[in-house]
């Protein structure tokens, strides 16, 4: 009897805790503890794709499954070569910091089915149970189908400020998220503390507007032989990221023959925070609403647009520092960009205003659009309906009206001070009233 009691005590104190740890490790290892029947794994859902966490000890099962369904030899030595193979089917694979794996599947990828309002793909992964054999377990990747992700961006630039307006995103279950701001990938603050990174925020549903001084939050960027100024800003919430990134052209007192603009390439919806930083999108078409006469070229991160200035340039009156009436140049560009890697178009609007000047005369070399030597682009091959840039998507505030420490209701008050957390409510202005002299 005494011996039996000792055995029970040893079992309770030593064997059961160890066994419990093994069970917990297996549950994490298999993304939710699959049963003998089909189960859902540890899946994260984003606007255009879903991701599955796979332990490094189980990656052999995924490798064999991919080799079988794609009829290719899948190797893990070079992730770059592997992802080049997988990209044709909308798949991607990467390692995380712990050397485990993240498997990504586009909703438009191979073998993905739309079932009862959800995107579904089933993975048959081999789990080796001995040196000589194993058994197959099924895992289901499943995410709710969503409408097209937010794909619009409205950028306003002048000599002092940049302002970016985008739609506020929701997750796949239509839930609102608690957002923070991430500047340059490292400085993260809550929206109400945005002044700590010299940014003002205005929430005017369905849109969010961010604004800051060019010299404070923009970074110079070289695109081919021209220079622009880049805003490295994102909204972040948990494992989600949402791009507020934008570029402003250089400040020019006088217009040049050509206007050079830079469009930052990225997925416009919710993406994985910190994931696939080196993903490159390839442009398939570009349309500019204001003119058919332009050229475009691309590099890994940017699309460069070159448009004859005479096709887009306008003038309006402005008030100088001493109260005198002057003139300033401005233009607005609406572009639609299509990428090979996504089914969703990017609707990109840039409104740029030059400094006030009394020297504005005709400095353009080509007043007649027909004289400009540029390739003509048209909307041939685009089957979707034309993009409506003005439909419920105007900036929530005009440029330079977000509140600052010393700003008052008086329009003549200088706004050279540092932004605060308090944002004054302003009425939404339409694009036409924003651009009118």
């Amino acid at each position: 009897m005494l011996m039996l009691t000792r055995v029970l005590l040893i079992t309770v104190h030593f064997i059961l805790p160890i066994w419990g740890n093994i069970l917990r490790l297996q549950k994490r290892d298999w993304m939710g503890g699959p049963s003998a029947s089909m189960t859902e794994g540890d899946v994260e859902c984003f606007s255009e794709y879903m991701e599955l966490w796979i332990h490094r000890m189980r990656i052999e099962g995924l490798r064999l499954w991919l080799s079988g369904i794609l009829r290719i030899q899948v190797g893990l030595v070079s992730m770059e070569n592997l992802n080049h193979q997988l990209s044709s089917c909308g798949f991607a694979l990467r390692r995380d910091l712990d050397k485990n794996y993240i498997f990504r599947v586009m909703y438009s990828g191979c073998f993905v089915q739309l079932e009862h309002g959800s995107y579904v793909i089933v993975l048959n992964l081999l789990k080796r149970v001995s040196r000589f054999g194993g058994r197959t377990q099924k895992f289901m990747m499943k995410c709710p189908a969503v409408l097209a992700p937010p794909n619009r961006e409205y950028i306003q630039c002048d000599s002092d400020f940049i302002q970016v307006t985008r739609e506020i995103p929701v997750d796949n279950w239509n839930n609102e998220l608690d957002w923070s701001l991430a500047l340059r990938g490292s400085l993260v603050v809550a929206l109400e503390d945005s002044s700590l990174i010299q940014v003002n925020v205005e929430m005017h549903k369905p849109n969010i507007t961010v604004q800051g001084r060019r010299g404070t939050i923009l970074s110079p960027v070289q695109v081919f032989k021209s220079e622009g100024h880049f805003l490295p800003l994102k909204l972040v919430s948990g494992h989600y990221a949402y791009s507020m990134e934008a570029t402003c052209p250089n400040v020019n007192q006088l217009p040049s023959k050509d206007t050079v603009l830079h469009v930052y390439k990225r997925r416009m919806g919710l993406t994985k925070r910190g994931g696939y930083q080196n993903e490159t999108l390839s442009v398939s078409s570009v349309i500019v609403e204001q003119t058919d006469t332009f050229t475009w070229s691309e590099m890994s991160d940017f699309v460069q647009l070159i448009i004859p200035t005479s096709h887009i340039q306008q003038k309006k009156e402005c008030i100088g520092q001493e109260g005198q009436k002057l003139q300033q140049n401005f233009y607005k560009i609406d572009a639609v960009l299509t990428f090979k890697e996504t089914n969703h178009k990017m609707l990109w609007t840039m409104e740029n205003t030059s400094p006030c000047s009394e020297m504005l005369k005709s400095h353009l070399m080509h007043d007649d659009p027909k004289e400009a030597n540029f390739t003509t682009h048209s909307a041939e091959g685009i089957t979707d309906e034309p993009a409506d840039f003005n439909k419920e998507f105007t900036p929530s505030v005009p440029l330079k009206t977000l509140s600052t420490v010393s700003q008052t209701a008086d329009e003549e008050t200088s706004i050279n001070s540092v932004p605060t957390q308090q944002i004054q409510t302003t009425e939404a202005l339409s694009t036409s009233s924003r651009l009118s002299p």
Side-chain angles (χ1 to χ4, degrees):
M1 185 68 180
L2 181 60
M3 182 62 69
L4 180 59
T5 303
R6 288 179 178 176
V7 172
L8 289 175
L9 289 175
I10 292 173
T11 302
V12 170
H13 286 281
F14 296 100
I15 298 178
L16 287 181
I18 294 174
W19 183 248
N21 286 334
I22 292 175
L23 290 178
R24 284 193 292 271
L25 285 174
Q26 288 179 343
K27 183 176 181 180
R28 174 56 180 156
D29 207 24
W30 278 96
M31 303 147 289
S35 61
S37 61
M38 187 181 300
T39 62
E40 295 185 29
D42 186 8
V43 178
E44 293 179 335
C45 302
F46 302 92
S47 294
E48 297 184 66
Y49 55 85
M50 48 188 167
E51 291 189 343
L52 176 69
W53 182 90
I54 300 177
H55 194 277
R56 58 186 177 275
M57 298 299 292
R58 311 300 183 185
I59 194 61
E60 178 68 9
L62 179 66
R63 188 189 72 79
L64 294 174
W65 179 76
L66 288 172
S67 298
I69 63 168
L70 300 182
R71 302 182 184 277
I72 60 175
Q73 188 63 37
V74 174
L76 302 175
V77 176
S78 173
M79 299 301 290
E80 183 177 353
N81 291 339
L82 173 59
N83 282 314
H84 180 71
Q85 290 178 297
L86 299 181
S87 61
S88 61
C89 236
F91 299 158
L93 188 68
R94 66 180 175 89
R95 294 186 181 94
D96 63 13
L97 296 178
D98 297 322
K99 297 183 179 180
N100 298 311
Y101 289 84
I102 306 294
F103 181 51
R104 186 180 74 174
V105 178
M106 302 294 296
Y107 297 141
S108 58
C110 301
F111 312 107
V112 177
Q113 303 292 325
L114 184 59
E115 299 178 0
H116 307 293
S118 294
Y119 294 108
V120 177
I121 185 171
V122 178
L123 281 59
N124 296 311
L125 303 186
L126 176 68
K127 180 182 180 183
R128 194 173 297 278
V129 295
S130 69
R131 252 173 110 183
F132 305 103
R135 57 188 174 87
T136 299
Q137 289 192 333
K138 294 183 178 181
F139 290 88
M140 177 187 292
M141 295 180 67
K142 179 179 179 181
C143 284
V146 295
L147 299 175
N151 62 345
R152 300 166 180 257
E153 181 175 52
Y154 196 116
I155 307 167
Q156 292 174 282
C157 300
D158 65 15
S159 57
D160 297 317
F161 287 86
I162 179 174
Q163 181 169 294
V164 181
T165 299
R166 291 210 62 198
E167 301 164 66
I168 303 172
V170 294
D171 67 12
N172 290 55
W173 295 267
N174 207 34
N175 297 319
E176 296 184 357
L177 301 170
D178 295 327
W179 293 108
S180 298
L181 288 171
L183 181 64
R184 299 186 178 91
S186 57
L187 300 174
V188 180
V189 298
L191 291 183
E192 58 268 23
D193 297 324
S194 61
S195 63
L196 296 176
I197 57 173
Q198 306 297 299
V199 173
N200 287 328
V201 178
E202 173 84 7
M203 299 285 286
H204 191 86
K205 292 184 178 181
N207 300 329
I208 180 172
T209 297
V210 297
Q211 182 196 82
R213 289 189 171 277
R214 292 178 57 131
T216 303
I217 63 175
L218 298 190
S219 303
V221 61
Q222 191 74 25
V223 181
F224 296 109
K225 295 182 180 180
S226 62
E227 185 180 86
H229 294 86
F230 180 63
L231 174 64
L233 185 68
K234 290 185 178 182
L235 295 178
V236 294
S237 178
H239 58 265
Y240 292 114
Y242 184 68
S243 174
M244 298 295 291
E245 293 145 311
T247 55
C248 277
N250 283 333
V251 178
N252 295 318
Q253 190 75 23
L254 297 176
S256 57
K257 171 186 173 183
D258 299 323
T259 295
V260 180
L261 302 172
H262 303 133
V263 184
Y264 184 62
K265 300 193 296 185
R266 75 283 200 190
R267 296 188 184 275
M268 297 294 282
L270 294 178
T271 59
K272 173 75 171 183
R273 184 176 177 181
Y276 297 93
Q277 299 289 355
N278 298 323
E279 181 184 26
T280 299
L281 300 180
S282 303
V283 176
S284 57
S285 68
V286 179
I287 300 173
V288 175
E289 186 178 83
Q290 283 75 11
T291 178
D292 288 335
T293 306
F294 65 93
T295 61
W296 65 268
S297 52
E298 66 176 325
M299 54 189 304
S300 59
D301 295 325
F302 293 93
V303 177
Q304 178 173 272
L305 296 177
I306 301 179
I307 305 174
T309 304
S310 60
H311 289 218
I312 57 175
Q313 194 77 64
Q314 301 181 61
K315 296 179 182 179
K316 63 180 178 181
E317 287 187 354
C318 59
I319 305 299
Q321 294 182 352
E322 299 179 359
Q324 71 275 35
K325 288 187 176 182
L326 303 176
Q327 282 189 323
Q328 61 187 159
N329 292 320
F330 72 97
Y331 58 81
K332 180 186 172 207
I333 295 296
D334 297 307
V336 181
L337 290 85
T338 306
F339 301 102
K340 298 176 182 177
E341 295 80 6
T342 174
N343 293 330
H344 307 291
K345 302 180 187 301
M346 173 192 288
L347 306 184
W348 183 86
T349 298
M350 159 65 68
E351 182 181 333
N352 186 66
T353 303
S354 300
C356 283
S357 174
E358 57 184 353
M359 302 173 61
L360 293 183
K361 296 180 181 179
S362 178
H363 293 275
L364 304 181
M365 298 183 63
H366 295 291
D367 291 329
D368 185 357
K370 296 180 180 179
E371 298 180 12
N373 185 22
F374 278 80
T375 304
T376 299
H377 298 260
S378 66
E380 290 185 9
I382 305 298
T383 58
D384 293 351
E385 296 181 0
D388 184 0
F389 286 90
N390 296 321
K391 183 179 180 181
E392 296 182 358
F393 194 73
T394 54
S396 57
V397 289
L399 198 59
K400 292 199 284 190
T401 59
L402 294 180
S403 64
T404 58
V405 170
S406 63
Q407 184 177 356
T408 66
D410 188 350
E411 295 182 353
E412 297 179 357
T413 303
S414 173
I415 57 173
N416 293 326
S417 55
V418 177
T420 67
Q421 301 176 22
Q422 299 297 322
I423 303 296
Q424 296 177 353
T425 302
T426 54
E427 295 182 359
L429 299 180
S430 65
T431 303
S432 59
S433 63
R434 172 73 178 86
L435 298 181
S436 58

